Amino acid sequence: MLLKLGEIVLRGRNRWRFYAQLQRNVKRAFRDVGPLELRQRGGVLAVLAPDEHADALLARARDVIGVNVVHPARVLEKTPEAAAAAAIQLLRDRPGRTFAVRARRRDKQWALTSHELAALVGRAVQDELDLDVDLDEPDLEIHLEVDRSEIFAYTEKLPGPGGLPVGTSGRALVLLSGGIDSPVAAFRVMKRGLRCDFVHFSGRPFTGPESIYKAYAQVARLDRFQGGSRLFVVPFGHAQRELATARAGRLQVLAQRRLMVHVAAALAEREDAQALVTGDALGQVSSQTLHNLAVVEEASPLPLLRPLLAWDKSEIVREAESLGTLDVSTLPADDCCTLFASPLAETRADRRKLQRVEGLVELPALVPRLVASAELVRPGSPRRTAETAERV
Ligand code: ATP
Ligand code: MG
């Protein structure tokens, strides 16, 4: 199979760092299928794997971030005869009257030009199969790519996710609520090369465990894009009650959000993450007015990334659907945010009042306590094997 890389190819001399990371990610995604051979050919990565896993591998390759296009390809001996035989085999019994051979060379020294190869293979196909050449609008197309030590032949082109390989931009901690937005936010920053850890604040012991299950299931679904995902679960109920007791009132949601950010930032520093990520979108709810977003951001010593800031809800929902996280997001669960919240949320939080509330709950002690209470789970690995079993 051939993986065509997108944006990485535009990189300058440090392109090789991106290729190396992509290769590590491919090996990780295919770890359980036995030995693979990888051949980097410029902006194309050839993956040679045992045939019996072809379909499962194809599906997984299409989830490797950094890959724009996947071709299920055959690897051929570097001769025109091998190319002709493969073309005949690949086009035989396919519905259609006309065909075209598209040839190109990455090895410019080879005996035949692309044009000569295409003509030669075209004739062989015509002789063998009852098909006519049509270069403009063929029913069938076969692609031949002449490379360093082989020819690749394929007829199909499947889209991958694109983006930059996970890990090339560093590491981030995503605040994952169990709702619709935050899993989409995570995917968007993964596509910009960030490896993601996740933190979920649950209303425990004042809510049930449902929101934790949702966060767990969402991370399990996102894991196919990076592998080895980690989710930290912080029981947040008592801290929320403390804020309520400190009479946060209409500032309850903002005070909680700032506390989450304090805790997430401390956790991120402990775990070597360089940024926080949330699913905030400007103006979506009252805690997301520009003023309130700024107030929340002030609680973070790390950059707080909001990849969905300018997205419409409908755009987010559409993406959640295509990622496969939407159905989990819409399952019922008590939202820890509304637990102690006043029905009248503040759209323009007063910083002095917030400081008074935060003074009463003694943040310098509370934050490390919450960080220490975070429980680590790894939603990725078990599902990966189950999924493999299903797909193979
Ligand atoms: P989402 O669908 O992600 O919950 P939302 O539209 O419901 O988004 P809010 O509930 O206001 O928005 O939350 C804004 C962001 O704050 C979330 O996207 C998430 O990053 C973070 N967040 C909110 N609640 C939690 C939580 N319980 N645990 C972790 N992060 C949270
Ligand atoms: Mg939410």
Side-chain angles (χ1 to χ4, degrees):
M1 131 178 92
L2 284 188
L3 311 184
K4 298 224 165 136
L5 315 182
E7 226 182 294
I8 317 177
V9 180
L10 304 175
R11 293 285 160 154
R13 260 173 301 160
N14 66 359
R15 193 159 66 225
W16 294 103
R17 193 169 68 76
F18 289 80
Y19 290 162
Q21 183 67 53
L22 186 94
Q23 292 185 12
R24 280 196 294 277
N25 295 354
V26 166
K27 283 184 193 150
R28 178 178 212 146
F30 295 165
R31 194 162 39 193
D32 53 337
V33 290
L36 288 182
E37 192 191 330
L38 302 183
R39 297 182 190 170
Q40 188 77 48
R41 300 288 188 250
V44 178
L45 180 65
V47 181
L48 283 64
D51 251 1
E52 71 258 33
H53 297 305
D55 288 346
L57 292 186
L58 215 54
R60 279 201 219 160
R62 294 185 55 189
D63 286 336
V64 174
I65 292 177
V67 172
N68 274 34
V69 174
V70 180
H71 298 298
R74 300 225 190 148
V75 185
L76 314 174
E77 211 183 302
K78 200 171 169 181
T79 63
E81 295 76 26
I88 290 166
Q89 228 176 23
L90 284 169
L91 295 178
R92 194 188 289 284
D93 301 329
R94 295 268 305 267
R97 291 280 327 129
T98 59
F99 79 104
V101 179
R102 314 282 189 209
R104 55 187 286 200
R105 302 187 299 173
R106 276 186 289 274
D107 172 7
K108 301 291 181 202
Q109 315 300 324
W110 200 46
L112 272 65
T113 65
S114 312
H115 191 75
E116 288 163 349
L117 177 65
L120 185 147
V121 171
R123 264 194 309 277
V125 170
Q126 268 180 312
D127 289 348
E128 191 69 28
L129 310 174
D130 194 19
L131 294 173
D132 296 323
V133 174
D134 179 348
L135 296 182
D136 298 322
E137 279 183 35
D139 300 331
L140 302 167
E141 251 180 336
I142 170 124
H143 294 260
L144 299 169
E145 297 188 4
V146 180
D147 223 308
R148 204 180 305 163
S149 51
E150 67 282 271
I151 297 176
F152 299 107
Y154 59 85
T155 55
E156 261 180 292
K157 173 180 177 161
L158 308 166
L164 297 173
V166 169
T168 52
S169 298
R171 186 185 274 275
L173 181 62
V174 179
L175 286 86
L176 193 74
S177 63
I180 295 172
D181 306 337
S182 31
V184 176
F187 177 65
R188 295 318 287 200
V189 297
M190 283 180 190
K191 274 187 58 168
R192 299 316 300 162
L194 283 172
R195 163 161 282 282
C196 291
D197 290 325
F198 300 87
V199 59
H200 173 69
F201 295 88
S202 107
R204 300 288 268 164
F206 303 118
T207 59
E210 292 79 6
S211 75
I212 302 175
Y213 299 156
K214 288 173 66 174
Y216 188 97
Q218 289 173 340
V219 175
R221 296 201 175 172
L222 291 170
D223 186 63
R224 67 185 194 275
F225 299 110
Q226 61 171 14
S229 304
R230 305 188 304 162
L231 168 65
F232 295 92
V233 179
V234 178
F236 201 53
H238 286 297
Q240 289 177 272
R241 194 171 58 179
E242 279 186 52
L243 290 169
T245 310
R247 299 204 292 150
R250 291 177 64 177
L251 293 175
Q252 178 74 22
V253 169
L254 259 293
Q256 283 172 192
R257 205 48 61 70
R258 273 174 59 95
L259 182 54
M260 286 182 194
V261 167
H262 277 297
V263 173
L267 190 61
E269 279 174 21
R270 189 187 83 187
E271 299 298 327
D272 240 4
Q274 298 105 35
L276 301 181
V277 177
T278 71
D280 289 308
L282 183 60
Q284 202 190 78
V285 290
S286 60
S287 58
Q288 294 169 348
T289 60
L290 189 56
H291 178 90
N292 286 348
L293 290 176
V295 167
V296 171
E297 197 168 297
E298 283 160 19
S300 179
L302 295 177
L304 197 156
L305 309 180
R306 292 165 164 140
L308 307 185
L309 189 81
W311 286 40
D312 293 353
K313 191 73 187 188
S314 60
E315 294 170 321
I316 300 173
V317 167
R318 212 176 315 131
E319 176 120 333
E321 199 166 14
S322 79
L323 281 177
T325 53
L326 185 66
D327 56 344
V328 179
S329 302
T330 51
L331 292 173
D334 294 328
D335 184 349
C336 87
C337 290
T338 52
L339 198 53
F340 296 95
S342 144
L344 277 176
E346 189 62 77
T347 54
R348 206 180 157 75
D350 180 334
R351 288 185 172 81
R352 271 206 318 263
K353 280 192 212 155
L354 263 172
Q355 273 161 10
R356 185 183 50 75
V357 172
E358 289 177 350
L360 287 172
V361 299
E362 291 175 52
L363 285 187
L366 181 57
V367 171
R369 210 161 59 231
L370 286 167
V371 171
S373 73
E375 217 181 301
L376 170 62
V377 288
R378 292 178 180 275
S381 9
R383 183 172 180 273
R384 171 113 250 159
T385 17
E387 188 184 48
T388 314
E390 212 174 84
R391 281 182 175 176
V392 170

